Amino acid sequence: MLASTQALKAFLVLSLAAAGMAHAQQGSGARGAPNAAGIYSCTDAKGRTITADRPIPDCLDREQRELNPSGTTRRVVEPSYTAREQAEREDRERAAQLQAARLVEERRRERALLVRYPNPAAHDRERAEALVQIDVVIQAARKRLAELGEDRKRVDDELEFYKKDPAKAPDALRRRTEDIARSVAVQNRFIGEQEDEKKRVNARFDEEHAKLAPLWAANTAAAQKSK
């Protein structure tokens, strides 16, 4: 009886072991089995749609799609680039990034301008104030020119006395004439620079106005729409 029990136990142990090995082999086979072959598809340089069971040589310079047997995209195969093509591609990407950054910066500046000048009246007012400040400086320079003119007239009146023999005119009087001439040149040059500054100010405000006009119009339209 004891021998029969032991034999039964041994049989059960061997059976369980055999079942476990079979299960392990089945699982290992499932994991080790290769994936079903994909299908590659692309459109070549001539516009033809090509399919194959491996990467397509005619489409190495363009994107290919690897498809599942069901026809869905398993993955996208990027183009294969030469060193030169890769460098050109990177240059284009950098240029695109720089352009995008410039556009972002431009939008930021436009928003700042809109905050500073919420309407045309505010912009016109600041333009006028800037021009007035320059005109004040120009008027001061012109007043100085008038004063120098009076000084020159007085010097000329004194030099009239030495008209018959200018060599006898005092050195101080001649130096005064030269000083007045230099000061007149300085003031005229300064006035010219201020006139150029007025042109620059007007050009800047004109440029800003061109950028702000569509923004003001959009704000006005939005405000009317919300009413």
Side-chain angles (χ1 to χ4, degrees), residues 36 44 46 51-53 57 65 68 75 89 116 129 133 152 160 180 193 206 215-216 225:
D44 69 4
K46 297 179 180 179
T51 57
D53 60 354
R65 290 185 304 134
N68 292 310
R75 66 188 178 102
R89 182 170 180 258
R116 185 173 181 179
E129 290 173 355
Q133 292 175 7
R152 180 58 189 264
E160 186 70 21
I180 291 172
E193 291 171 352
D206 287 344
L215 301 178
W216 288 329
K225 187 176 181 180

Side-chain angles (χ1 to χ4, degrees), residues 62-187:
R62 62 199 59 236
E63 186 179 275
Q64 302 185 46
R65 290 185 304 134
E66 184 183 359
L67 307 176
N68 292 310
S70 63
T72 58
T73 300
R74 175 182 295 174
R75 66 188 178 102
V76 174
V77 181
E78 294 293 331
S80 298
Y81 299 103
T82 64
R84 179 178 177 180
E85 290 171 341
Q86 182 64 26
E88 292 174 348
R89 182 170 180 258
E90 291 173 354
D91 287 343
R92 289 193 297 270
E93 289 176 352
R94 280 193 294 269
Q97 290 171 357
L98 288 174
Q99 179 64 17
R102 281 194 291 267
L103 289 175
V104 169
E105 178 62 16
E106 184 65 21
R107 298 291 87 77
R108 185 194 66 79
R109 291 179 179 177
E110 287 177 353
R111 289 193 297 272
L113 276 176
L114 195 57
V115 170
R116 185 173 181 179
Y117 308 114
N119 51 60
H123 193 253
D124 291 342
R125 183 167 56 253
E126 185 155 328
R127 182 202 292 258
E129 290 173 355
L131 294 175
V132 164
Q133 292 175 7
I134 297 173
D135 284 337
V136 168
V137 175
I138 291 175
Q139 289 302 320
R142 287 176 176 164
K143 181 179 179 182
R144 177 58 181 155
L145 278 177
E147 293 172 351
L148 289 170
E150 293 297 325
D151 288 348
R152 180 58 189 264
K153 186 175 183 302
R154 286 191 290 269
V155 171
D156 288 344
D157 289 344
E158 292 184 40
L159 287 173
E160 186 70 21
F161 181 77
Y162 303 98
K163 184 176 181 180
K164 294 182 179 180
D165 191 1
K168 292 182 179 181
D171 291 340
L173 201 57
R174 288 198 293 269
R175 286 195 298 272
R176 180 61 181 158
T177 300
E178 294 170 356
D179 290 343
I180 291 172
R182 282 194 293 270
S183 295
V184 168
V186 168
Q187 293 302 318

Side-chain angles (χ1 to χ4, degrees), residues 20-34:
M21 290 177 63
H23 179 74
Q25 289 174 354
Q26 290 174 359
S28 176
R31 289 192 298 272

Side-chain angles (χ1 to χ4, degrees), residues 47-63:
R48 299 176 302 175
T49 299
I50 303 174
T51 57
D53 60 354
R54 64 197 64 192
I56 303 166
D58 289 345
C59 290
L60 293 179
D61 63 339
R62 62 199 59 236
E63 186 179 275

